[in-house]
Amino acid sequence: MFVYMDHTATTPTSPEVLKAMMPYFSENFGNPSSVYSFSRKSRAAIEKARAQVAAALNADPAEIFFTGSGTEADNWALKGTLEKAMKAGKNHLITTAIEHHAILHTAEYLKKYHGVEVTYLPVDSEGFVSVEDVKNAITDKTALVSVMFANNEVGTIEPVAEIGALCREKKIPFHTDAVQAAAHLDIDVKAMNIDMLSMSAHKMYGPKGVGALYLRKGLRPENFVHGGAQEKGRRAATENIAGIVGFGEAMEILKSRLEEDKKINSQRRDRLIAGLLEKIPHAKLNGATGDKRLPNNVNFSFIGVEGETLLLDLDAKGISASTGSACSSESLDPSHVLLALGLKHEMAHGSLRFTLGRLTTDEQIDYVLDVLPEIVARRREMSPLWEEYLKTVKN
């Protein structure tokens, strides 16, 4: 049996999305920037997709700018905003210790090469950022607050609307990385006081290689990609027409079935969590619970075993999972997210992330619950760390 439980890393492009994309590879291939009538089909397709994405966020189509990825959208939001703000004497960025590396590495770059002051807010044991901590971190030099909508590793959903309201009151731009959240949660950028929001199509059954940045009207961060006049002169490069069309279609389909997907994923998520807690002793669920957690996210730590070893054992059984963020899966370092939650190194090293989606079935949940407890028990029998842990428990 093949079991794919890594939907947070990427999702398959849905047949409906692929069908919508196909004409723009070799039939309607005109460059949208050209003036002749043949290219108008390409321009019209892009604007339709822009409207589809905007509608899902309660935004205006003019506020949606297509990028090459969610990572590019994050880079644009941070670098563009800080570069402009520094001209006005503001050089302070507030973010969190559990952000995706697209944010953390960009913040490090801004600090190292541009002298930006960066505040990394801590989180509690479930991964929540305190609104009060955000408030206390704000200074007269603060140019931007960037807090992810939901964590990609442990699934904790942050108090984005409250942070957005605070930033609006303080007249400070607020950006949120919603690459994971946009695929599973209802987002209203107006009601939540969000100024900038990053997304990626391949997390929501769309194609890879296309993302978007929502920019509230009136905000004009410096351009990140320079060259042509595409995207209203804000993001240069000939548009990825097929990818953009796929993004729009994926977003519309996602919106139409959001509540249904959320209900089904939540039920299966909770059954997997309950089963693992019942069948594997000394297993720890990481992150929040219930409706404060992404409906498809399951993250566990198993003391006495290495997560990478468990991944190989699961792969041998046909199960695809993850130890954390797909973008750092080759690193041997413990997850920065789990360490920020207060886990010790040995617990952070023994973590697994299962993320469910449209490919997941009840039969697959049962299969994981049959296979994983045996794997963990076998690996623990060979682990000196497990033996030491049992001694501490007995004492």
Side-chain angles (χ1 to χ4, degrees):
M1 177 184 289
F2 172 65
V3 178
Y4 183 76
M5 289 193 180
D6 202 15
H7 287 78
T8 291
T10 195
T11 58
T13 303
S14 73
E16 302 94 329
V17 169
L18 185 59
K19 182 179 179 181
M21 294 171 63
M22 289 306 292
Y24 297 93
F25 286 108
S26 57
E27 185 180 340
N28 299 329
F29 60 86
N31 189 318
S33 297
S34 299
V35 296
Y36 39 77
S37 58
F38 178 59
S39 291
R40 291 174 195 158
K41 292 181 180 179
S42 297
R43 276 204 303 278
I46 290 174
E47 295 314 311
K48 177 185 176 183
R50 201 185 308 279
Q52 288 171 313
V53 174
L57 301 174
N58 190 28
D60 188 284
E63 297 174 312
I64 303 299
F65 296 86
F66 292 111
T67 63
S69 62
T71 294
E72 182 192 325
D74 283 341
N75 272 259
W76 184 7
L78 267 62
K79 293 178 180 177
T81 301
L82 266 298
E83 284 177 8
K84 185 170 185 178
M86 289 177 72
K87 297 174 183 176
K90 294 191 174 185
N91 69 334
H92 180 219
L93 167 66
I94 298 173
T95 188
T96 81
I98 63 167
E99 297 294 315
H100 189 277
H101 285 116
I103 294 292
L104 294 179
H105 289 174
T106 303
E108 290 168 11
Y109 164 84
L110 288 168
K111 181 177 181 179
K112 182 176 180 179
Y113 294 103
H114 294 279
V116 171
E117 296 178 10
V118 184
T119 297
Y120 299 95
L121 298 176
V123 295
D124 65 17
S125 60
E126 291 186 314
F128 289 110
V129 177
S130 163
V131 180
E132 191 66 21
D133 282 350
V134 177
K135 181 178 180 180
N136 292 336
I138 292 174
T139 73
D140 58 358
K141 298 289 186 180
T142 303
L144 178 67
V145 173
S146 181
V147 176
M148 67 194 329
F149 205 113
N151 187 262
N152 52 299
E153 292 193 34
V154 298
T156 300
I157 301 170
E158 301 298 342
V160 168
E162 292 87 342
I163 296 172
L166 170 66
C167 291
R168 188 62 56 85
E169 176 190 341
K170 300 291 186 179
K171 295 181 172 56
I172 297 170
F174 173 52
H175 166 258
T176 185
D177 179 339
V179 167
Q180 294 301 329
H184 303 285
L185 304 175
D186 191 21
I187 298 176
D188 186 327
V189 292
K190 289 186 174 67
M192 295 177 173
N193 291 301
I194 296 170
D195 296 307
M196 292 178 278
L197 179 144
S198 304
M199 293 179 290
S200 181
H202 79 100
K203 307 292 188 180
M204 55 182 73
Y205 306 93
K208 296 175 180 65
V210 59
L213 180 65
Y214 158 76
L215 278 175
R216 184 174 60 82
K217 284 182 181 177
L219 287 180
R220 293 197 64 88
E222 297 290 346
N223 288 1
F224 179 62
V225 178
H226 301 88
Q230 292 86 357
E231 293 297 285
K232 303 180 183 66
R234 309 288 290 277
R235 196 270 185 184
T238 301
E239 298 90 343
N240 175 4
I241 308 165
I244 290 171
V245 167
F247 194 170
E249 190 71 15
M251 199 84 190
E252 187 167 289
I253 293 170
L254 178 76
K255 189 70 174 179
S256 69
R257 57 180 294 170
L258 187 66
E259 291 307 315
E260 177 188 359
D261 283 350
K262 188 189 301 184
K263 180 180 178 181
I264 294 172
N265 281 329
S266 296
Q267 290 173 346
R268 289 177 176 150
R269 173 202 67 190
D270 292 344
R271 194 157 71 83
L272 181 56
I273 290 173
L276 292 176
L277 288 172
E278 178 186 351
K279 294 189 173 190
I280 303 178
H282 305 283
K284 182 185 185 305
L285 175 68
N286 299 312
T289 57
D291 60 4
K292 293 183 178 181
R293 184 188 195 99
L294 285 176
N296 75 325
N297 179 286
V298 176
N299 187 303
F300 268 88
S301 287
F302 305 101
I303 186 68
V305 289
E306 288 281 345
E308 294 291 339
T309 302
L310 295 180
L311 277 188
L312 294 174
D313 289 341
L314 287 171
D315 188 43
K317 295 288 188 178
I319 301 170
S320 299
S322 171
T323 56
S325 170
C327 299
S328 60
S329 60
E330 294 182 1
S331 172
L332 296 177
D333 295 329
S335 159
H336 71 283
V337 173
L338 297 182
L339 294 179
L341 265 63
L343 270 69
K344 295 181 179 179
H345 277 240
E346 56 267 28
M347 284 292 282
H349 267 302
S351 67
L352 281 180
R353 182 189 70 184
F354 298 94
T355 45
L356 320 180
R358 294 177 194 165
L359 296 182
T360 309
T361 65
D362 290 328
E363 182 184 13
Q364 291 176 346
I365 298 290
D366 292 336
Y367 181 62
V368 172
L369 290 174
D370 285 339
V371 168
L372 185 56
E374 296 177 0
I375 290 175
V376 172
R378 177 164 48 84
R379 287 295 175 180
R380 280 175 169 174
E381 288 177 359
M382 299 181 282
S383 170
L385 183 61
W386 176 242
E387 292 181 7
E388 291 298 318
Y389 174 76
L390 287 180
K391 291 178 183 177
T392 63
V393 173
K394 291 177 182 177
N395 294 334

